[in-house]
């Protein structure tokens, strides 16, 4: 009912008309239009070309919305379709639950009987055109003969909109319902609510002033009148002024969805306020009776269940797109899901829309276990912001879109040498784009190119908010949080249609020179690119240069003598009586997964698709419930139990205990807490599902490790990334030997191995030399050119030697004939000629042998190494001790300025980062930094006072560029974050208006694998943080667990005795 030019949506992946059941539950896409005015007639943005009636008839008949549409489609030349089920029961009965603005307890829609005078839709005598009339026959579920399929579809969409307005479910819409719903629509498009204009619009409907409410028939006629009035105002042709626009149903359904989202938002807000109030009362130091405390606890549990039912099965993403302090109106919001088929990963669009006038957006998706969605928000002149969302519930995200500081155009010409250089005057970064090596859809491209780039200034701790979440997979497959040093976004596209362009892989790529000023990480950084399908950063094998010196490629190989000392230490509480179910579940799980605590993993296919693993799910649920219910967390110093704990942290601790029992890797490092937390969120909080996901990921890393060992046994210089090994395994049915054979025959790996051998030869000839990969490639190319020239010279000399040898043989035959004829003159002459020819032949053959030897030498790697060793630039660097130290030097106390140089080949996010590691101590050396840690983070817990209006809680490093955020803060205020151990950080609390923010801290994180409780954070004052300890209930086999708690025996017994004493 809201007037003006309203944004409207297309139902993606479905027919062009009204969508089926899931269209109401999913906020779909295509929102495009002008700003709306509450006082004007109903209208929704720019129109699309009118679809033929035949198409609508076929679509309606296939979906079962209009049983009479088949004949109309055939009359218009369409194909015959089948009539679907009764749409009243299969469609509109589902619209009365919470998905269209009413709670699930609201009365269901019932089909009106023909002999009743009143019912769901009011008095039949007042329905006017909705009731039967003379000469009309009932068609479909509507007892009204519509003149076309478009009218029927329009009526059904209006029915959905009317059901959204009718919040009481009495079949009529009164003034208060109308005004409240109009306010929700105003919020959806980002304009100020005008109750007077809404009241005026309501009283324009028939019988509104006389009866104080309107029925569906009156509501529908008013909608048709407004739609025709708008069509007449916008249309220039009088013949088109009175037609029914085929886009109207979709625009009306967009209204219904926005009302549904707004009503759900109000219900969640009310539940959150009540929960926050009860949680605040529970935290007050007041003495109440046990009955009152029990009643309050029951009420809190009931409110939590109501909130869970409200969000059950759906994922609501609410957020804002901004550029600094400026809200971005009309930003494109796309939600995609990764689709894996036969090892190949592609994306499918789940929803699309645009931000409103206030820069806010809201999407509702169907929650899918073990499935994550990638949220991408883009705007003109800004880089694209990404965020991964998964699970079910409410996610409130604030996305920062950094402006493109570098923008320009140039013309690409196939085969042309040279580069187009772009510079960022603010940061000093430069980008050299090759002109003749661009590709579009795999083919050489020639034409106008648009280039844009954004450099993220890491000088401020808020700079990391513009980057995608800093969580990535190393080249060996380990996943870990990242510490960022520098970041950049590149965009390369066709100027005509905006299609993305790439750079030819065999070329030098786009050379990026990126100055950075930040605290340098403990580990040596490398180049990472953001994978939009997987939703994480991937470490690349591209070489990275720091201050013109190329850093050596280091793979974080596991330490075979590692221990699990970085895991969370938890004491074991005695098992209470009556836990036969737990003991039986443990025995069956031992039979499925093996002896607990042993370093043994089954194949990745076992965890992902075997029936035996699925049979373990209920058994794992028994143990998970047992561990969560019996887990105790208490202060280290006083032993006092702590109650203000995020329930998700308890599930995380239980998952870690199960992983340490039955999913301990053999050669690789155990999964960190951040990977377990992501698995829990993707599985919608199911611990058994998360267990199988984490165990399967660890099994994949084990298989990749064995493939890497096979590859290195054949050639130590052949090193590749985890992603390429996974693709080889997926393409060969997870057969490790076949994957190793495929990678050993890879041409790119062979060339890379040759370059590494040349590098070693150069350093042997010239100690201290540090040639870059590009210099090695140029030297190898020069050596190959000389080898080809030497081979040609050797072939020519060999041919000349063969000719001389033939001359000698001919003279020898002539001499023999002369001797037989006893011709003394000819014999003497031929003898002299033969001696001269033999001398010449010996010289030519010696020259041919020398040329052949020179060709062999020129083709060897030693020649390429000699070319570089004789280079004056390399000799100067070696004399200056440029490359004598290959170890990375981290900064300990202050920021350091460095310039990084690297090459990229396609658009997207790139960053220079390293896996997080605790800071070095005073005299500690970074030699051990190539070994990955099992856990580098500290689990930080806390609570926010008055959290009913919070959107997110973020932990930002005060000095290091690290970040962790929680986009689903509980209404009670509980949150849990993962922060790099031993670092200083601050807590940023963002309210749901996405403008108001509070800061708390700074705090210092505990050691790796420890817990820190920040207390209740409030603007009036907060308690000091305290370290925590965990005590979990033991199971029957806890005494036989080997290695999982090797370093916590004394600590655990002390903790357990302290807890029992308290």
């Amino acid at each position: 009912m809201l007037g003006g030019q309203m944004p409207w949506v297309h139902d993606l992946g479905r027919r062009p008309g009204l969508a089926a059941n899931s269209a109401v539950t999913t906020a779909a896409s295509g929102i495009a239009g002008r700003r709306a005015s509450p006082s004007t007639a109903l209208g929704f943005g720019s129109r699309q070309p009118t679809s033929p009636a035949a198409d609508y008839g076929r679509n309606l008949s296939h979906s079962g919305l209009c049983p009479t549409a088949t004949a109309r489609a055939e009359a218009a030349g369409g194909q015959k379709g089948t009539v679907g089920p009764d749409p009243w029961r299969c469609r509109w009965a589902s619209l009365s639950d919470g998905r269209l603005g009413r709670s699930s307890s609201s009365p269901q829609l019932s089909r009106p009987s023909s002999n009743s005078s009143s019912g769901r839709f009011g008095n039949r005598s007042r329905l006017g055109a909705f009731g039967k009339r003379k000469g009309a026959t009932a068609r479909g579920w509507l007892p009204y003969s519509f003149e076309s399929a478009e009218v029927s579809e329009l009526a059904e969409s209006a029915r959905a909109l009317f059901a959204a307005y009718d919040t009481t479910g009495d079949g009529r819409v009164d003034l208060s319902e109308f005004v409240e719903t109009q306010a929700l629509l105003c919020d959806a498009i980002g304009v100020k609510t005008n109750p007077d204009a809404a009241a005026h619009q309501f009283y324009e409907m028939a019988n509104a002033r006389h009866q104080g409410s309107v029925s569906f028939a009156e509501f529908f006629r008013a909608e048709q009148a407004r739609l025709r009035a708008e069509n007449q105002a916008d249309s220039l042709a009088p013949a088109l002024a009175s037609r029914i626009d085929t886009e109207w149903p979709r625009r009306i359904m967009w209204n219904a969805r926005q009302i549904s989202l707004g009503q759900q938002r109000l219900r969640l807000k009310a539940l959150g306020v009540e929960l926050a109030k009860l949680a605040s009362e529970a935290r007050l130091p007041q003495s109440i009776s046990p009955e009152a405390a029990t009643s309050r606890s029951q009420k809190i549990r009931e409110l939590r269940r109501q909130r869970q039912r409200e969000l059950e099965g759906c994922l609501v993403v609410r957020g804002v797109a901004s550029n600094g302090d400026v809200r971005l109106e009309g930003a494109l919001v796309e939600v995609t899901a990764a689709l894996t088929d036969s090892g190949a990963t592609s994306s499918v669009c789940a929803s699309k829309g645009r931000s409103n006038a206030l820069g806010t957006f809201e999407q509702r998706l169907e929650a899918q276990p073990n499935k994550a969605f990638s949220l991408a928000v883009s705007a003109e002149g800004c880089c694209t912001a990404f965020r991964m969302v998964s699970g079910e519930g409410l996610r409130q995200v604030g996305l920062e879109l950094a402006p493109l500081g570098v923008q320009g155009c140039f013309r690409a010409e196939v085969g042309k040498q040279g580069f187009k250089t772009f510079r960022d005057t603010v940061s000093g970064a430069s980008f050299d784009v090759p002109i003749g090596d661009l590709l579009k859809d795999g083919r050489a491209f020639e034409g106008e190119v648009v280039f844009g780039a954004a450099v993220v200034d890491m000088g401020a701790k808020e700079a990391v908010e513009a980057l995608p979440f800093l969580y990535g997979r190393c080249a060996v497959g380990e996943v870990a949080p990242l510490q960022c040093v520098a970041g950049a976004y590149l965009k390369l596209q066709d100027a005509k249609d905006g299609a993305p362009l790439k750079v030819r892989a065999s070329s030098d790529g786009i050379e990026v020179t990126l100055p950075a000023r930040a605290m340098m990480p403990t580990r040596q950084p490398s180049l990472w690119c953001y994978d939009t399908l997987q939703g994480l950063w991937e470490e690349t094998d591209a070489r990275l240069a720091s201050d013109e010196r190329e850093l050596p490629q280091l793979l974080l190989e596991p330490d075979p003598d590692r221990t699990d000392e970085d895991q969370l230490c938890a004491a074991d509480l005695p098992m209470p009586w009556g836990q036969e179910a737990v003991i039986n579940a443990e025995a069956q799980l031992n039979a499925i997964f093996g002896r607990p605590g042993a370093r043994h993993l089954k194949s990745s296919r076992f965890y992902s698709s075997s029936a035996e693993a699925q049979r373990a799910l209920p058994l794992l649920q028994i143990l998970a419930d047992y561990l969560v219910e019996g887990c105790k967390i208490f202060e280290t110093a006083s032993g006092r139990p702590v109650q203000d704990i995020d329930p998700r942290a308890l599930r995380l601790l239980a998952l870690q205990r199960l992983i340490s029992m039955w999913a301990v890797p053999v050669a690789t490092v155990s999964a960190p807490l951040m990977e377990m937390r992501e698995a829990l969120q993707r599985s919608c909080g199911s611990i058994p599902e998360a267990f199988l996901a984490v165990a399967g990921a660890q099994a994949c890393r084990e298989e990749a490790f064995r493939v890497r060992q096979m590859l290195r046994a054949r050639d130590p210089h052949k090193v590749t990334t985890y992603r390429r090994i996974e693709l080889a395994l997926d393409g060969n049915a997870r057969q490790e030997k076949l994957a190793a054979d495929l990678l050993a025959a890879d041409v790119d790996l062979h060339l890379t191995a040759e370059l590494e051998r040349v590098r070693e030869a150069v350093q042997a000839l010239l100690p201290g030399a540090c040639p870059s990969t590009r210099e090695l490639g140029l030297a190898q190319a020069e050596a190959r050119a000389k080898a080809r020239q030497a081979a040609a010279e050797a072939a020519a000399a060999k041919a000349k030697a063969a000719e001389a040898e033939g001359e000698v043989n001919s003279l020898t035959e002539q001499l023999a004939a002369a001797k037989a004829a006893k011709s003394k003159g000819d014999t003497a002459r031929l003898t002299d000629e033969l001696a001269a020819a033999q001398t010449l032949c010996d010289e030519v053959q010696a020259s041919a042998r020398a040329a052949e030897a020179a060709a062999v030498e020129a083709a060897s790697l030693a020649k390429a190494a000699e070319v570089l060793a004789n280079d004056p630039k390399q000799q100067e660097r070696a004399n200056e001790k440029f490359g004598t130290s290959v170890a990375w030097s981290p900064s300990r106390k202050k920021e350091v300025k460095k310039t990084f140089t690297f090459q990229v080949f396609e658009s997207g996010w790139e960053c220079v980062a390293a896996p997080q590691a605790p800071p070095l101590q005073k005299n500690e050396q970074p030699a051990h930094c190539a070994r990955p840690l099992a856990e580098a983070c500290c689990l930080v817990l806390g609570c926010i006072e008055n959290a009913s209006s919070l959107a997110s809680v973020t932990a930002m490093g005060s000095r290091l560029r690290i970040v962790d955020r929680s986009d689903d803060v509980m209404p009670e205020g509980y949150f849990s974050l993962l922060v790099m151990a031993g670092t200083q950080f601050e807590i940023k609390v963002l309210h749901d208006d996405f403008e108001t923010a509070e800061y708390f801290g700074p705090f210092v994180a505990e050691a790796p694998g420890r817990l820190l409780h920040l207390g209740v954070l409030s603007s009036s004052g907060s308690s000091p943080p305290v370290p925590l300890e965990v005590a979990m209930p033991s199971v029957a086999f806890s005494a036989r667990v080997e290695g999982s708690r090797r370093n916590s025996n004394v600590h655990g017994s002390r903790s357990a005795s302290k807890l029992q004493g308290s």
Side-chain angles (χ1 to χ4, degrees):
M1 290 295 294
L2 182 63
Q5 298 296 333
M6 179 78 66
W8 51 279
V9 296
H10 289 290
D11 296 312
L12 300 177
R14 303 186 180 274
R15 62 189 181 83
L18 186 63
N21 293 339
S22 61
V24 181
T25 62
T26 304
S29 61
I31 302 173
R34 302 187 297 272
R35 182 174 301 186
S37 172
S39 60
T40 57
L42 179 63
F44 304 89
S46 58
R47 285 170 170 54
Q48 298 294 325
T50 303
S51 301
D55 293 340
Y56 271 88
R58 284 194 297 271
N59 292 325
L60 290 171
S61 64
H62 284 301
S63 61
L65 293 180
C66 182
T68 61
T70 304
R72 292 190 175 91
E74 294 173 355
Q79 298 178 356
K80 184 177 181 179
T82 58
V83 177
D86 184 2
W88 180 274
R89 296 185 180 275
C90 71
R91 177 176 177 79
W92 299 116
S94 65
L95 295 182
S96 61
D97 60 5
R99 304 183 189 280
L100 257 185
R102 191 174 297 113
S103 64
S104 58
S105 61
S106 301
Q108 298 291 322
L109 287 172
S110 60
R111 187 170 183 171
S113 59
S114 59
N115 57 357
S116 62
S117 60
S118 63
R120 171 68 177 87
F121 299 107
N123 194 331
R124 298 276 298 177
S125 63
R126 294 198 302 269
L127 291 181
F130 188 65
K132 278 192 175 183
R133 59 184 178 182
K134 185 176 181 180
T137 57
R139 297 175 179 175
W141 61 274
L142 288 175
Y144 173 69
S145 68
F146 289 117
E147 296 178 356
S148 64
E150 288 87 343
V151 180
S152 176
E153 191 175 14
L154 179 63
E156 294 204 24
S157 60
R159 175 79 66 183
L161 184 61
F162 181 81
Y165 273 86
D166 184 16
T167 58
T168 59
D170 60 353
R172 301 188 66 84
V173 176
D174 58 19
L175 177 62
S176 61
E177 292 174 331
F178 189 86
V179 173
E180 290 174 1
T181 310
Q182 288 292 97
L184 296 178
L185 287 178
C186 289
D187 292 339
I189 63 174
V191 298
K192 187 177 179 180
T193 304
N194 190 341
D196 296 336
H200 177 72
Q201 194 171 354
F202 172 78
Y203 285 121
E204 285 182 345
M205 289 186 284
N207 296 327
R209 294 186 179 274
H210 300 290
Q211 300 182 9
S213 61
V214 295
S215 65
F216 170 72
E218 296 152 355
F219 181 88
F220 184 38
R221 285 197 297 268
E223 288 298 298
Q224 285 184 303
R226 290 188 179 91
L227 289 170
R228 286 196 174 95
E230 180 204 351
N231 199 30
Q232 186 174 7
D234 292 346
S235 178
L236 297 179
L240 300 177
S242 60
R243 69 175 175 84
I244 296 179
D245 197 331
T246 55
E247 300 297 335
W248 288 349
R250 278 185 292 229
R251 302 175 189 178
I252 294 178
M253 286 305 299
W254 185 88
N255 269 17
R257 296 187 190 99
Q258 298 307 313
I259 294 173
S260 170
L261 291 173
Q263 291 170 345
Q264 185 186 48
R265 183 166 59 248
L266 293 180
R267 292 193 298 271
L268 291 175
K269 184 73 172 178
L271 291 173
V273 170
E274 195 166 356
L275 274 172
K277 180 181 178 181
L278 292 175
S280 300
E281 292 176 357
R283 285 191 288 265
L284 292 177
Q286 57 183 357
S287 58
I288 59 175
S289 63
E291 294 80 7
T294 303
S295 175
R296 184 169 58 193
S297 300
Q298 291 177 353
K299 190 172 183 180
I300 289 177
R301 284 194 293 270
E302 179 60 28
L303 290 173
R304 286 180 178 176
R305 283 193 291 267
Q306 290 183 21
R307 190 173 187 272
Q308 184 178 2
R309 285 195 300 267
E310 188 70 42
L311 295 170
E312 185 176 6
C314 67
L315 174 62
V316 180
V317 182
R318 187 180 306 146
V320 62
S322 61
N323 180 3
D325 297 333
V326 179
R327 298 287 186 92
L328 298 177
E329 178 183 1
L332 180 61
V333 180
E334 293 181 281
V335 182
T336 58
L339 181 64
T340 303
D341 184 15
S342 302
T345 303
S346 59
S347 63
V348 56
C349 186
S351 179
K352 184 184 291 186
R354 289 190 179 273
S355 60
N356 61 18
L358 299 179
T360 61
F361 58 88
E362 189 166 359
Q363 301 285 331
R364 180 159 53 188
L365 310 166
E366 182 182 354
Q368 303 180 22
N370 300 321
K371 178 71 71 174
F373 298 94
S374 176
L375 173 65
V377 180
S378 58
E380 186 69 24
C382 297
C383 61
T384 305
F386 295 94
R387 186 72 58 85
M388 290 301 294
V389 291
S390 59
E392 63 181 11
L394 174 64
R395 305 288 184 269
Q396 302 189 85
V397 297
L399 296 175
E400 177 69 21
L401 279 66
L404 295 177
V406 179
Q407 297 187 70
C409 299
F410 67 95
R411 180 168 182 80
E413 300 181 21
V414 179
K416 185 177 181 180
Q417 301 295 324
F419 297 87
K420 176 65 176 179
T421 302
F422 298 91
R423 298 186 183 277
D424 184 9
T425 57
V426 177
S427 63
S430 63
F431 306 88
D432 296 333
V433 185
I435 297 177
D437 294 318
L438 299 183
L439 302 176
K440 180 180 180 180
D441 298 329
R443 299 179 179 179
F445 174 77
E446 183 167 350
E448 291 296 322
V449 180
V450 176
F451 177 80
V455 178
V456 180
D457 182 16
M458 305 305 296
K461 57 180 178 292
E462 292 86 359
V464 293
E465 295 186 358
L467 294 170
F469 185 56
L470 293 175
Y471 170 73
R473 181 186 288 117
C474 304
V476 294
E478 312 293 345
V479 292
L482 304 179
Q483 178 183 348
C484 183
V485 177
Y489 175 82
L490 280 73
K491 182 176 71 173
L492 197 66
Q493 60 186 18
D494 186 356
K496 290 184 178 180
D497 55 7
L501 304 177
K502 294 184 178 180
V503 182
R504 193 185 307 275
S506 58
S507 66
D508 293 334
I510 303 175
E511 182 168 315
V512 181
T513 302
L514 199 61
R517 184 178 183 86
M519 292 280 291
M520 295 298 139
T522 301
R523 299 175 181 176
Q524 175 184 299
S526 55
L527 183 63
W528 301 69
C529 67
Y530 186 74
D531 187 349
T532 58
L533 297 179
Q534 301 296 329
L536 47 74
W537 293 87
E538 288 277 357
E539 185 180 13
T540 67
D541 54 0
R543 304 308 288 261
L544 177 67
S546 173
D547 293 335
E548 298 184 358
R549 189 193 74 177
E550 191 170 287
L551 299 175
Q553 190 174 18
L554 295 179
L555 290 180
L556 303 181
E557 291 292 356
D559 184 2
D561 300 326
R562 62 171 172 76
T563 62
D564 295 327
E565 60 185 8
D566 300 317
Q567 298 291 325
L568 281 175
C569 298
D572 287 333
L573 295 174
M575 174 182 288
W577 293 99
Q579 297 295 335
E580 291 80 5
V582 176
I583 298 175
N584 294 335
E586 174 263 336
Q588 297 181 57
L589 289 173
N590 287 344
I592 296 175
F593 298 116
R595 185 168 56 89
R599 290 187 176 180
H600 171 71
L601 278 175
K602 297 182 179 291
S603 66
S604 58
R605 286 191 170 184
F606 172 84
Y607 297 104
S608 61
S609 58
S610 70
E612 195 173 5
Q614 295 299 316
R615 186 169 61 87
L617 290 176
L619 305 174
L620 289 169
Q621 188 63 53
I622 293 175
L623 263 70
D625 295 339
Y626 170 69
L627 292 173
V628 171
E629 292 174 3
C631 181
K632 306 294 182 183
I633 299 181
F634 55 95
E635 297 180 3
T636 302
S638 62
R640 182 173 55 196
V642 180
Q643 303 297 335
D644 293 329
I645 298 298
D646 188 353
R648 293 164 295 191
L650 300 179
R651 292 198 292 268
L652 180 61
L653 297 176
L655 174 61
Q656 189 193 42
R657 172 62 69 91
L658 294 177
I659 291 293
S660 66
M661 291 173 181
W662 288 298
V664 182
V666 179
T668 56
V669 177
S670 300
L673 282 175
M674 188 165 287
E675 182 180 7
M676 298 183 194
R677 186 184 67 179
E678 292 295 320
L680 264 178
Q681 193 174 53
R682 294 193 179 195
S683 63
C684 301
S686 173
I687 296 178
E689 293 284 354
F691 172 85
L692 292 183
V694 175
Q698 294 195 153
C700 289
R701 290 193 286 267
E702 291 281 325
E703 293 167 355
F705 175 79
R706 290 192 288 268
V707 171
R708 193 180 301 110
Q709 294 298 102
M710 295 179 188
L711 196 60
R712 283 190 169 182
R714 304 180 186 186
D715 188 347
H717 295 91
K718 287 189 176 181
V719 179
T720 186
T721 61
Y722 171 81
R723 184 61 181 162
R724 296 187 66 178
I725 296 177
E726 273 294 297
L727 292 176
L729 284 170
D730 290 338
N732 290 276
R734 307 301 297 184
Q735 297 294 321
E736 298 171 9
K737 188 177 184 305
L738 295 179
D741 295 340
L742 179 64
L743 291 172
D746 189 79
V747 177
D748 294 336
L749 286 183
H750 180 71
L751 295 177
T752 304
E754 279 191 358
L755 291 181
E756 292 302 318
R757 283 191 283 269
V758 172
R759 191 192 305 273
E760 292 180 356
V762 172
Q763 292 175 350
L765 293 174
L766 186 62
C770 187
S772 65
T773 302
R774 176 177 289 186
E775 292 171 340
L776 290 172
L778 292 176
Q780 192 176 29
E782 182 180 353
R784 285 177 179 174
K786 291 182 178 180
R788 288 192 295 268
Q789 182 179 358
E793 294 176 355
K798 192 174 181 180
K800 190 175 181 181
E803 183 181 355
E805 187 175 359
E807 181 69 19
V808 169
N809 294 335
S810 176
L811 291 175
T812 301
E813 293 175 357
Q814 293 178 18
L815 180 61
K819 287 182 178 180
K822 296 181 180 181
S823 174
K824 295 183 179 180
D826 293 339
T827 301
R829 179 179 60 78
L830 290 173
T831 301
D832 295 338
E833 291 180 359
L834 179 61
Q838 186 65 45
T839 303
L840 180 61
C841 180
D842 292 341
E843 292 177 356
V844 171
Q845 287 181 346
S847 176
R849 288 192 296 271
E852 189 173 359
V856 173
E857 182 182 2
S860 64
L861 296 176
K863 191 64 177 178
E866 183 180 350
V867 171
L868 275 176
N870 294 329
D871 186 7
K873 183 178 180 180
Q874 298 294 333
Q875 292 177 354
E876 181 181 358
R877 289 181 176 179
N879 294 333
E880 295 176 355
K881 307 295 182 182
F882 183 84
T884 55
S885 176
V886 295
W888 171 253
S889 300
S891 55
R892 297 177 182 269
K893 295 183 179 181
K894 62 180 181 179
E895 294 182 346
V896 177
K897 186 175 182 181
K898 289 183 177 292
T899 301
F900 296 97
T901 305
F902 52 88
Q903 284 77 35
V904 298
F905 294 87
E906 56 184 283
S907 303
W909 278 102
E910 312 284 338
C911 80
V912 179
Q916 290 185 11
L920 297 176
Q921 302 300 322
K922 184 175 182 180
N923 297 321
E924 188 178 3
Q925 298 300 321
H928 71 285
C929 295
R931 180 182 70 86
L933 295 173
E935 186 58 62
C937 291
C938 164
L939 182 58
V940 177
L941 306 174
C943 183
I944 306 294
E945 188 71 22
N946 298 324
S948 61
S949 61
L950 295 186
S952 63
V953 176
T954 307
M956 297 183 297
S958 300
R959 301 172 67 186
L960 302 180
R961 299 301 170 252
I962 58 175
V963 66
D964 187 32
R965 64 171 57 90
S966 175
D967 296 328
D968 53 344
V969 184
M970 299 181 64
E972 299 93 320
Y974 304 136
F975 67 89
S976 57
L977 299 168
L978 292 170
V979 183
M980 186 196 300
T983 59
Q984 192 178 74
F985 66 96
E986 295 179 354
I987 296 294
K988 177 184 177 181
V989 178
L990 182 65
H991 290 256
D992 55 7
D993 60 357
F994 298 101
E995 292 181 356
T996 308
E998 298 180 79
Y999 291 85
F1000 300 94
F1003 308 102
V1004 179
E1006 290 289 309
R1010 307 295 298 179
L1011 276 75
L1012 179 67
H1013 194 268
L1014 304 181
V1016 180
L1017 302 180
S1018 174
S1019 57
S1020 59
S1022 305
S1023 57
V1026 292
L1028 302 179
E1029 294 184 7
V1030 182
M1032 304 195 74
S1034 62
V1035 287
F1037 53 80
S1038 61
R1040 304 196 303 270
V1041 176
E1042 298 178 2
S1044 62
R1045 296 294 180 267
R1046 192 173 300 169
N1047 297 324
S1048 61
N1049 293 334
V1050 177
H1051 171 79
S1053 61
R1054 177 179 63 84
S1055 303
S1057 61
K1058 181 186 298 184
L1059 180 62
Q1060 293 171 3
S1062 60

